[in-house]
Amino acid sequence: AIRSGMVEAGYRGELVARIILIRAWDDCARNHRNKTIANQYSSPVSIAEFIHALFGIDLVQFVMQQKQKQELEDDRDGLSSGHLFSQSDVEKLANAKILFTSFAYIMYTPSKEDLLQFLLRGTAIICKRNQKGIDFIIPALLANGDQYIVDERFITYALLSIKNSKYDNQYAESTTSKLSPIFAEIEEDADHPYLSIYMQLGSDDDSLSLARELGVMTSSQKKLAKNILKEKVVAETSKKGRVAAGASQRVYRQKHQISLVAIGKSDTIYPCLAELDSKNDKDE
């Protein structure tokens, strides 16, 4: 399916996505510097290491360059890409630890406590049928200072949406608002950085980019965004306001969500597939 480009909708498309993700994990585990032969596939790695194996990029550098590029374009056009996260937010996410050697299908929407248990088992999640917005969840553990404390308070995640068609008429929402924990009902509000990955396998094009929100912010959203950037919003107050006003959810999403959009299915986008292709070429 990968080599011929025949990626069908539904189950088969998600199967191809799982193959890609496991291939990336396999490469990442084998190349991880802090390992022994005995436990190389069962040791956690950082999100940055996994994303490098999956997409061949430095996550922090790529995201910040994309953010800067979009902000320059928006300044020229009088718009706003809405990215409110800082480099330290991206670095915090990049240093979060993940561990998955398999996928498990669940029939419910998981809580953060559930996600912690899946992380400890080394398992990524295949979401229930008709789960809102997302198809897979990879649990992750954020650092608390220079330590990793196994507690649901420090749980974050990578949320993945898999598309097989060439076109998505709700593309902007699918890569941002619908690829979020609030829409998926995992959390009422996320006060930590998290990763969203939109994989469109049906396209003939190849590209990797940082997703951006469309539309102009309202005056109240702009005011809230300025306060967030100046760190004037008290955490408890911000949580109440976030739930009370749906419009403010966008602002907080732009602070915490880092959303990557991968179009295509070649080894140009997923370098972890290059070795697989070369082996098959030799066999032929």
Side-chain angles (χ1 to χ4, degrees), residues 55-111:
F55 294 125
I57 61 170
D58 180 303
L59 178 62
V60 177
Q61 184 181 66
F62 178 84
V63 168
M64 296 311 296
Q65 286 178 346
Q66 287 274 306
K67 178 186 177 185
Q68 183 180 35
K69 177 183 176 182
Q70 291 177 8
E71 287 174 343
L72 289 173
E73 293 173 352
D74 291 341
D75 288 342
R76 180 193 63 204
D77 299 332
L79 301 173
S80 173
S81 60
H83 298 308
L84 301 178
F85 54 76
S86 64
Q87 181 165 329
S88 62
D89 293 324
V90 185
E91 290 172 347
K92 183 177 181 180
L93 178 65
N95 290 326
K97 297 294 186 180
I98 62 172
L99 171 62
F100 71 99
T101 57
S102 62
F103 283 82
Y105 178 77
I106 61 175
M107 301 180 68
Y108 56 91
T109 299
S111 65

Side-chain angles (χ1 to χ4, degrees), residues 35-49:
K35 63 178 177 61
T36 63
I37 297 298
N39 66 0
Q40 62 178 343
Y41 294 104
S42 58
S43 298
V45 301
S46 69
I47 284 181
E49 290 172 312

Side-chain angles (χ1 to χ4, degrees), residues 154-207:
F154 305 108
I155 282 291
T156 187
Y157 29 72
L159 307 177
L160 293 94
S161 176
I162 316 302
K163 302 294 182 182
N164 308 305
S165 59
K166 293 185 178 181
Y167 305 103
D168 181 358
N169 58 7
Q170 294 184 319
Y171 173 80
E173 293 85 358
S174 296
T175 60
T176 53
S177 60
K178 290 187 176 181
L179 196 45
S180 68
I182 295 177
F183 186 80
E185 299 178 350
I186 296 172
E187 295 187 83
E188 288 186 348
D189 54 358
D191 55 1
H192 52 80
Y194 63 91
L195 183 65
S196 299
I197 302 177
Y198 178 91
M199 299 171 65
Q200 192 176 70
L201 301 173
S203 176
D204 296 326
D205 300 323
D206 291 318
S207 67

Side-chain angles (χ1 to χ4, degrees), residues 265-281:
K265 54 188 174 294
S266 74
D267 57 19
T268 302
I269 300 300
Y270 303 105
C272 57
L273 298 179
E275 183 181 348
L276 183 66
D277 283 343
S278 63
K279 286 182 178 179
N280 287 334
D281 290 339

